[in-house]
Amino acid sequence: MLDIFKKLSFLYKPYVLGVLTIGYIVGELGHYLIGVTSKQTARELIYGDISCQLNSTSFKLSELPVDCSTVETEEECMLVEKDGISYCEWNYNGLGLDYQLLAGPSFIAVFTVMGVILGIAADKYNRVRMLFVCTLIFSVAIILQGAVTEYWQMVVLRMVMALGEAGCNPLATGIMSDIFDEGKRALVMAIFNWGIYGGYGIAFPVGRYITQLNLFDLSWRICYYGAGVLGLILAILTGVTLKEPERLTIGEESTTQEKISIWQVLKQPRIILLIIASSIRHCGGMTFAYNCDLYYTSYFPDVDLGWWLFIVTVGIGSIGIVVGGVVSDKIVAKMGVRSRVAVLAISQLIAAPFAFGSVYFEPLWAMITLGISYFFAEMWFGIVFACLVEIVPMGVRSTTVGIFLFVMNNVGGNLPILVDPVAKAIGYRESISIFYAGFYLISTLLFFITMFWMEGPKKEQTTSTDTRRDSSPRDYGHDNNTFSTADETNLATLRANGHTNYGIRNENSRL
C-alpha cells in the first residue's frame, strides 16, 4: 500500500491546487450570487429601488410603443399596454443603495480586516487547519443566507461569510508558494485566483436558471443551499487530506537573513505603487462584477445573456488567466520581476477599449468585445500575487498578502458604491463605463510606473579564479535583494563557484 502512495505522490501537488481552487470558487460563488439573484431577493426581503420594468410577457423591446424603464410613476406604469396587454410592472429592481451596501461594504468591511489578521496568523500557525475552519465558516454562512427572511439578516450573514472567506487567499497563497517552484508559480497563482472569476462566472447560470427552475418551491434560496453544501464537502477534504508544507524561502537565505519588519517591506515605493495600481484595477473589476447582470438585464430585458456571460467570464477569462501566467513565467527568467509588471500594464491597456465596447454596444457586439476584454484583463490577478511573493521575504509574506488584500479590497471593493449616486446624476451606463473601463485605463498607467521600480534581469556572478558561466539554476524571477545581508552576498559568491546547496530546499523532500 505504501508503494502505491509513493508512486502516486506526484499527484499530490495538483490535488492540493485543485482542492484549494475549487474551495475558492465555491466561496466566490457565494460572494457573487447576490448580484444575480438581487431582483428576486429584493422582492422577498424588501430592499432597494422600485421602478417600472418589463414583465414576463413575450414582447420584445423593438415591438413596444413605450419603454418601461422611461416611465417614472406607478400610475403611468400600470397604464402602459400593447394590444390590450399590460407589459410593465412596478416592482423592486434589485438596484439602489441598499443593494450596493449589501454587495460591497457589508462584505468588504469584515473581509479586509480579517484578511490582515489571518495573514499574520498564517506566518505563525498551521495554515491547513486554519483554512479548514475558514472554509467551514463561509460554507455554513452561505447555507444560512438561503434561509433569511429579513434584509438585515442577509447583511449579517454576508459579514460572517466574509470572515471565513478572508482566509482563503493569504492561507492558500502561503501553502502554494511552499509547494510549487518559481517556474510554475505565476501559472499556479493564476489558476488559484481564477477562483474569483470562476465563482463569479458560475453565478450567472446558477443564479438565473436554477432560480427559474424554482426547485422545491425555493426559488433563489436553493442556489445558496447547494453552494453551501458543496463548500462543506471542500472543507472536509481540506482538513482531512491536506498537510501543512514545510516553509521555504523564496530568493533569500533563511539561515543568514536578518529579521525584516513588515514596515520595511510596505514602505518600499514598488510595494506602494503595486498596491495603488491593483486597487484601482480591482475597482474596475468589482464594478462590473456587482453590476454586470443587473446592467444587461436593465438595458436588454428581452435578451437572455446568462449563458453568454458564463462562457465569457469562465471560458475566455480562464484562457486569459492561463496565458498570462505562462507568458509571465516564460519571460521572467530573462527580464526579471519587471517583466511580470510589464505583462500587467500591456494586458490592461489592450483590455480597456474593449471594456468600453462591452458597455456601449448592442448585445452581440457587447459580448464579443467583453470576451476580448476578458481575455486580456483577467491576466492580472495571478501575476500580481506572483510578483508580490517574489519581492517579499518569507517571514512576512502571508502578512504582506493580507495587508495587500486589505487595502486593495477596501479601495476596489468600496469605490463601486459610488456607482449609484453617479448613475442618478449622469446615467447608469455612463457610471458603469467610468468605474469599469475608465479604471482599467488608470490602472494601466500606474502599472507602467510601477514597472520602473522593479528589478530587471540579474547578471550572473563570476570570480577572478573562475570566469566560466554558472550552469546551475538561477532565481532570476526573485527580487528580494532589497533586504540582502553581507552574508548573503558571500553565499552568492559560493554559488558562483559551484556551491548551490544553500537556501531553497529540494521540492521533493516534502512528499
Side-chain angles (χ1 to χ4, degrees):
M1 183 64 71
L2 290 176
D3 291 336
I4 295 176
F5 283 118
K6 288 181 179 179
K7 291 179 180 179
L8 295 177
S9 62
F10 72 96
L11 295 174
Y12 180 70
K13 290 182 182 180
Y15 171 77
V16 172
L17 177 60
V19 171
L20 296 180
T21 302
I22 297 173
Y24 201 24
I25 289 172
V26 173
E28 290 302 301
L29 172 59
H31 178 190
Y32 290 114
L33 265 177
I34 190 64
V36 186
T37 64
S38 183
K39 181 179 288 189
Q40 293 76 20
T41 307
R43 292 178 179 185
E44 285 196 35
L45 304 185
I46 313 300
Y47 68 81
D49 291 348
I50 302 176
S51 67
C52 189
Q53 309 159 58
L54 183 68
N55 62 20
S56 58
T57 59
S58 59
F59 292 124
K60 294 184 179 180
L61 285 181
S62 58
E63 303 173 340
L64 303 179
V66 178
D67 186 346
C68 298
S69 62
T70 63
V71 180
E72 297 182 353
T73 67
E74 182 177 3
E75 291 75 14
E76 293 177 354
C77 184
M78 295 296 100
L79 294 175
V80 176
E81 62 179 35
K82 175 181 171 58
D83 299 331
I85 300 175
S86 177
Y87 60 83
C88 292
E89 64 176 349
W90 185 261
N91 210 333
Y92 290 93
N93 59 16
L95 291 169
L97 186 60
D98 285 344
Y99 165 70
Q100 297 295 341
L101 289 170
L102 183 64
S106 67
F107 181 90
I108 296 299
V110 176
F111 183 84
T112 52
V113 173
M114 290 305 302
V116 176
I117 295 173
L118 292 172
I120 295 173
D123 286 326
K124 300 179 181 180
Y125 304 109
N126 188 296
R127 294 164 293 187
V128 170
R129 292 175 184 171
M130 292 172 62
L131 187 58
F132 160 72
V133 174
C134 287
T135 307
L136 185 65
I137 290 173
F138 77 66
S139 299
V140 172
I142 293 174
I143 292 175
L144 293 178
Q145 284 177 63
V148 298
T149 57
E150 301 286 344
Y151 172 77
W152 69 266
Q153 295 171 349
M154 181 66 84
V155 172
V156 171
L157 285 170
R158 280 185 64 80
M159 295 174 73
V160 175
M161 180 178 68
L163 184 152
E165 198 176 337
C168 289
N169 200 300
L171 293 169
T173 297
I175 292 170
M176 290 184 297
S177 65
D178 288 337
I179 291 179
F180 294 94
D181 57 28
E182 176 199 357
K184 300 177 181 177
R185 191 165 295 122
L187 177 58
V188 167
M189 295 296 180
I191 292 173
F192 170 74
N193 284 291
W194 171 81
I196 293 179
Y197 307 101
Y200 164 51
I202 294 171
F204 290 117
V206 171
R208 281 193 179 203
Y209 305 125
I210 300 299
T211 297
Q212 290 174 9
L213 289 175
N214 196 25
L215 297 173
F216 309 108
D217 199 30
L218 290 172
S219 183
W220 57 272
R221 299 177 185 275
I222 193 67
C223 303
Y224 290 88
Y225 292 146
V229 170
L230 182 57
L232 290 178
I233 295 173
L234 269 298
I236 294 171
L237 290 177
T238 299
V240 174
T241 65
L242 302 192
K243 59 183 179 181
E244 177 73 4
E246 183 179 0
R247 297 174 191 258
L248 305 179
T249 61
I250 297 181
E252 75 232 37
E253 310 301 338
S254 61
T255 58
T256 60
Q257 187 182 7
E258 297 174 352
K259 185 175 179 60
I260 303 299
S261 74
I262 185 64
W263 302 116
Q264 287 178 275
V265 174
L266 294 177
K267 70 181 182 181
Q268 296 178 79
R270 59 183 179 176
I271 297 290
I272 295 172
L273 285 168
L274 191 63
I275 290 176
I276 295 173
S278 299
S279 298
I280 296 299
R281 169 57 184 81
H282 195 51
C283 176
M286 290 297 97
T287 296
F288 193 71
Y290 290 146
N291 293 277
C292 176
D293 189 75
L294 293 167
Y295 170 80
Y296 287 119
T297 301
S298 298
Y299 280 90
F300 312 113
D302 57 335
V303 181
D304 187 354
L305 296 175
W307 284 114
W308 282 104
L309 292 171
F310 170 76
I311 292 170
V312 168
T313 53
V314 176
I316 298 177
S318 300
I319 296 172
I321 289 169
V322 173
V323 170
V326 171
V327 170
S328 174
D329 283 337
K330 291 295 183 184
I331 66 176
V332 69
K334 297 181 179 180
M335 296 178 60
V337 179
R338 183 180 296 169
S339 66
R340 295 205 196 277
V341 187
V343 172
L344 284 173
I346 294 170
S347 63
Q348 302 313 298
L349 179 62
I350 297 173
F354 292 103
F356 276 107
S358 69
V359 175
Y360 282 96
F361 289 143
E362 292 300 304
L364 176 59
W365 281 102
M367 292 299 100
I368 292 173
T369 52
L370 179 62
I372 298 173
S373 174
Y374 252 76
F375 177 82
F376 291 100
E378 302 318 314
M379 292 182 178
W380 85 286
F381 211 83
I383 301 177
V384 162
F385 283 94
C387 289
L388 198 61
V389 300
E390 288 173 352
I391 63 176
V392 174
M394 180 194 69
V396 292
R397 189 174 302 135
S398 291
T399 303
T400 303
V401 171
I403 294 175
F404 187 93
L405 286 168
F406 174 84
V407 177
M408 187 181 78
N409 283 296
N410 264 297
V411 176
N414 287 319
L415 271 181
I417 198 174
L418 297 178
V419 168
D420 184 64
V422 173
K424 285 181 170 62
I426 64 175
Y428 191 33
R429 172 174 279 160
E430 290 72 19
S431 180
I432 293 295
S433 67
I434 292 172
F435 289 96
Y436 165 42
F439 274 41
Y440 276 18
L441 280 177
I442 297 173
S443 72
T444 296
L445 176 61
L446 293 172
F447 281 130
F448 269 121
I449 296 173
T450 305
M451 182 178 66
F452 295 103
W453 289 89
M454 295 292 182
E455 281 276 317
K458 297 181 181 179
K459 296 181 180 180
E460 295 183 357
Q461 300 184 29
T462 59
T463 64
S464 59
T465 58
D466 185 3
T467 59
R468 64 177 173 82
R469 186 173 293 274
D470 186 2
S471 60
S472 61
R474 295 284 185 177
D475 295 325
Y476 291 152
H478 302 130
D479 186 14
N480 286 317
N481 58 310
T482 301
F483 307 101
S484 297
T485 64
D487 289 336
E488 291 178 44
T489 303
N490 294 333
L491 285 172
T493 303
L494 289 173
R495 285 201 299 270
N497 283 309
H499 302 283
T500 60
N501 294 323
Y502 299 90
I504 300 178
R505 301 174 186 171
N506 192 320
E507 283 288 318
N508 295 325
S509 64
R510 295 191 304 281
L511 299 178

